[in-house]
Amino acid sequence: HPDSGLAVARTVAEALPPDGLLVVGASQPIRDLDVVARPWTVGERRYVVANRGLAGIDGTVSTAVGAALARDSSRALALMGDLTFLHGSNGMLIGPDEPRPDLTVVVVNDDGGAIFSTLEQGGPEHADAFERVFATPTGADLGALCAGYRVAHRRVEPAGLAAALALPTGGLEVVEVVLRRDDRRALDAALRSATAAALADD
Ligand SMILES: Cc1ncc(C[n+]2csc(CCOP(=O)(O)OP(=O)(O)O)c2C)c(N)n1
Ligand SMILES: [Mg+2]
């Protein structure tokens, strides 16, 4: 599924070099990364962090900025959904005399909370209320938002993500990958049945 959050997560994992840092947002990105990240070479060091416990989708941009500043790394990446990014976008506001991280924030923009379509409320019987009550799309213009913060922003297709990540602008930058969301429930179901079939074969 080349145009899915799974593919984006794999591309990000593959772009993380030895001694790299990756901050992963809640919701679908961390689940996708968990499913698709290939094991890295034993002995190489990579540091993958996520907020758990009370932390939800809030503060993830700040977590990534703080981690990138605090930890010596060969490359700092973050991966998060659009609502997570919007919730924490003030974390991009860094005063002129403050240190700025070298950090690439990859935003999976599917305009709303994809995770909810994989849950009970994503079922066809709740379709009439789903978008407004659960998915909460915003239509926000992330490029304009980044421009307001004077943060570099690129918008790429999933197929162009690897090339974009190979050429970081330096400093704080946002790489937005636009995806559809209406296929997420079916994708999740397909993944479950493929997994069940693979396990049954064993
Ligand atoms: C502070 C906070 N508010 C609300 C939630 C509930 N919540 C969990 S996932 C989610 C949607 C996240 O959407 P997005 O970041 O776009 O990720 P996606 O599911 O689309 O991959 C919300 C609102 C939360 N975890 N934390
Ligand atoms: Mg989303």
Side-chain angles (χ1 to χ4, degrees), residues 36-123:
V36 301
R38 292 193 176 97
W40 285 294
T41 305
V42 174
E44 294 177 356
R45 310 289 292 179
R46 289 172 181 81
Y47 195 56
V48 182
V49 239
N51 288 330
R52 286 305 307 265
L54 286 178
I57 62 168
D58 53 324
T60 309
V61 175
S62 296
T63 299
V65 168
L69 285 172
R71 187 172 177 95
D72 278 334
S73 68
S74 58
R75 179 87 195 270
L77 298 171
L79 171 66
M80 65 191 74
D82 53 294
L83 295 183
T84 303
F85 175 73
L86 288 166
H87 208 306
S89 58
N90 243 24
M92 295 192 295
L93 193 55
I94 298 172
D97 297 326
E98 302 303 325
R100 297 184 75 81
D102 288 316
L103 169 67
T104 305
V105 179
V106 178
V107 180
V108 180
N109 188 1
D110 50 21
D111 198 18
I115 193 167
F116 301 121
S117 42
T118 69
L119 306 179
E120 182 184 355
Q121 60 265 45

Side-chain angles (χ1 to χ4, degrees), residues 19-36:
D19 298 311
L21 165 75
L22 173 60
V23 176
V24 195
S27 204
Q28 212 55 67
I30 192 157
R31 289 171 174 78
D32 288 345
L33 186 77
D34 192 34
V35 169
V36 301

Side-chain angles (χ1 to χ4, degrees), residues 13-14 17 19 25 72 75 82 116-117 124 127 132 135 143 148-149 180 185 187 193 195:
E14 286 173 348
D19 298 311
D72 278 334
R75 179 87 195 270
D82 53 294
F116 301 121
S117 42
R132 183 160 183 240
Y149 286 106
R180 56 193 295 175
R185 189 172 177 85
L187 178 63
S193 49
T195 307

